[in-house]
Amino acid sequence: MEKYIFGIDVGGTNIKIGVFNYDSVKNIKKFEVKTSKSKEISTILFDIKKFISEYVVENNINWNQVVGIGLGVPCPVKNGYVEKCANLSVNETNLIDELRRIFPGHITFAVGNDATLAALGENQSLAKPYDNAVLITLGTGVGGGIIVNGQLVEGSSGFGGEIGHIKVYDELVETCGCGSKGCLEQICGTAAIIKYAKKAIIGKKTILNLETLNVKRIFDAAKMGDEVGLETVNRVAKYLGIAASILAITVEPDVFIIGGGISKAGPFFTNLVQKYFRENARFSTGKIPFQIAITGNDAGMIGSALLVKHQMKGAYENQFLW
Amino acid sequence: MEKYIFGIDVGGTNIKIGVFNYDSVKNIKKFEVKTSKSKEISTILFDIKKFISEYVVENNINWNQVVGIGLGVPCPVKNGYVEKCANLSVNETNLIDELRRIFPGHITFAVGNDATLAALGENQSLAKPYDNAVLITLGTGVGGGIIVNGQLVEGSSGFGGEIGHIKVYDELVETCGCGSKGCLEQICGTAAIIKYAKKAIIGKKTILNLETLNVKRIFDAAKMGDEVGLETVNRVAKYLGIAASILAITVEPDVFIIGGGISKAGPFFTNLVQKYFRENARFSTGKIPFQIAITGNDAGMIGSALLVKHQMKGAYENQFLW
């Protein structure tokens, strides 16, 4: 009798639901449903319950075959607890308790931050997963996750791995979404990149123009040797390299994995980041390799299924211990 | 029959050797012997072996009662392996293998970086040890150690927790001992503090004078409201606060523990560091408390004994697992 884990990644727009084989944690099927416009966690969990219940019935699966449900949310999470969240309507709630309330009692639940779970998912999807890995995702925001000694770094209250808010710049006068200044995200987030290029464009010879400017065009221009493109992309790569050099002498990962939309710029970009990383790396940490993320948008979903498996392994081991 | 662990902290000048009760990891006795001037690891290990052998004989201890030996060294260490070390003469050597070669076969050995082990020792010495802790030691160098999920962060090759080399400053033109620029140690190490004060003194009204300048006098002057003292100490506190704010959104410890000679400046100083930390802290991480280290110079010795205990617990648990 096959056993299943459901791995779920709740985003602001869509909820990704993956059906995984329990033994191999191999993804069998995946679906997307819309995130409730209210962003209310109770509604979101209700929608997830409804989807899984229907899937179970339609596929003649017995609830006993559903051994685990993993949930990734775009919030700081500590042992399933969310104090508050900018992206969903949820406050001072233990999401594991909420899942227990609506699903059958035998199921094992695991909840984590989406980006941290993505780090777990990406790392585990590599040919040979590492004990220590850092994922940096580059998109509208700059996020990421840290794995140390094979475990997620949630930190004291769920702010572990908030790489986008490493202070890398002393002179930024504008305030970041986090309320502070000088954050990596204020240089490497897509809005910041476009804003910088808009200023850099003035009075320079460039194939870019203000009307059609977007991040892809900036990176494409850089690849073609365009001055403004190169200046903009070099700045992004420099501060990413500095942030990585800091991570290298604090958690010293075996690998940096670069994900998110901007990672589509490929080796042209990661090589540039690695150049600045090496310039700033301390001691012999400059040898840490950079890889481009391979699982794309599925990393969080995969990671949430893996977290369930990790927790079940732990529980299973504890049966022998106590 | 009482069982013992020896916890050893090898420094550049002295070797601290502690005798610990195995069950409680309580320190029973402690000794200091001189570090061999050659700094040759083989000589150092020979001296340690000689000391322990004599202690065992003099105290009518059977070798079977010696269950573990832990060793802290001022080098990057990964699973007992030291690739190279600025402070001792040791290259590409697994120190656990070296200990196995000279001590009886039943003993469990553990080796780690001295500052990382000090973090373990300090944390465990608190009334209630934390799962996640960062120790920052302020002396000639700025060192430290990171504990995540109750485990040491060694990193990929032993450079985990090298807090003194976090890049906090873009404008430093001088090169740090690590070969890079802008390191925390270049602002908060004792030499850097004195150097800064020497410049700040010129043309200002101050109770400090160039001939008698030292770190204690600078901090004492600051406590009395002296302009140069305050300017110097504020600069140290500011960059420590910034480095802590970076650690707070990457590993997010439950506590920052401040150790080393400068920690003797007491709450006057840690309150100042905490002020700058809070100014720079992202999200709600500004609430992380700061504590002054309590075990003083014994932290590394205690930590090395604890590491043995941790490893033995792991081995014991594994007996049930496999």
Side-chain angles (χ1 to χ4, degrees), chain A residues 78 83-84 131-132 146 148-149 151-171 177-178 180-184 186 238-239 242 245-254 279-285 287-288 316-318 320-322, chain B residues 78 83-84 131-132 146 148-149 151-171 177-178 180-184 186 238-239 242 245-254 279-285 287-288 316-318 320-322:
Chain A
K78 174 70 175 182
E83 194 181 333
K84 56 183 177 184
D131 282 343
N132 303 289
I146 301 175
V148 164
N149 299 328
Q151 295 186 316
L152 297 183
V153 178
E154 287 192 325
S156 177
S157 65
F159 289 105
E162 282 285 351
I163 291 163
H165 301 282
I166 292 178
K167 187 184 179 92
V168 287
Y169 203 68
D170 227 4
E171 293 136 69
C178 74
S180 295
K181 288 175 183 179
C183 293
L184 184 65
Q186 288 182 281
K238 177 184 167 187
Y239 286 98
I242 290 174
S245 79
I246 291 172
L247 290 161
I249 41 96
T250 48
V251 296
E252 201 201 3
D254 303 307
E279 281 177 21
N280 285 285
R282 276 69 173 130
F283 306 105
S284 58
T285 58
K287 68 189 172 200
I288 301 172
Y316 182 73
E317 283 163 4
N318 284 337
F320 290 83
L321 279 175
W322 308 115
Chain B
K78 174 68 175 182
E83 195 182 330
K84 55 183 177 183
D131 282 343
N132 303 290
I146 302 175
V148 164
N149 298 328
Q151 296 186 315
L152 297 182
V153 178
E154 288 194 323
S156 177
S157 66
F159 289 105
E162 283 286 350
I163 291 163
H165 301 282
I166 291 177
K167 187 184 180 93
V168 288
Y169 204 69
D170 227 4
E171 293 137 69
C178 74
S180 294
K181 288 176 182 177
C183 293
L184 184 65
Q186 288 183 278
K238 176 184 166 186
Y239 286 98
I242 290 175
S245 79
I246 291 173
L247 290 161
I249 40 98
T250 48
V251 295
E252 201 200 4
D254 302 307
E279 281 177 22
N280 284 285
R282 274 69 173 134
F283 305 107
S284 59
T285 59
K287 67 188 174 200
I288 301 172
Y316 182 71
E317 282 163 5
N318 283 336
F320 290 83
L321 278 175
W322 308 115

